[in-house]
Amino acid sequence: LANNHIADFGDSAVAETLSWLNRIGVQVVGVAPAGESACEPALFTREGCKVAVFGATTVGTLSRESAFVVCEPGTELYS
């Protein structure tokens, strides 16, 4: 979900999007509530192959007062 239009309709729209995706079992990458890591990948296995999907954006679309964070490019260690 990390993209330059994620917050076009404000925090309530981001919250609603996350809620609906959660309800139908879609793993979300690239955006998360403040205090959580938006950079955590979605992990799954298909036909014996492990896959990690990340989402990041270089365009700052959320205000400093936002209740959400987006993943920004850089390095982060995963274990």
Side-chain angles (χ1 to χ4, degrees):
L1 289 179
N3 68 77
N4 62 320
H5 293 287
I6 187 60
D8 284 0
F9 295 96
D11 280 359
S12 62
V14 175
E16 184 176 353
T17 299
L18 292 175
S19 176
W20 278 106
L21 293 174
N22 232 351
R23 281 187 208 152
I24 62 173
V26 174
Q27 290 181 301
V28 174
V29 295
V31 67
E36 294 182 23
S37 177
C39 295
E40 288 295 318
L43 303 171
F44 57 94
T45 302
R46 290 290 186 268
E47 298 180 17
C49 294
K50 292 182 181 181
V51 178
V53 178
F54 294 85
T57 183
T58 59
V59 181
T61 58
L62 300 174
S63 70
R64 292 189 189 278
E65 296 79 32
S66 178
F68 299 93
V69 293
V70 294
C71 183
E72 297 178 7
T75 54
E76 197 167 317
L77 298 177
Y78 294 94
S79 54

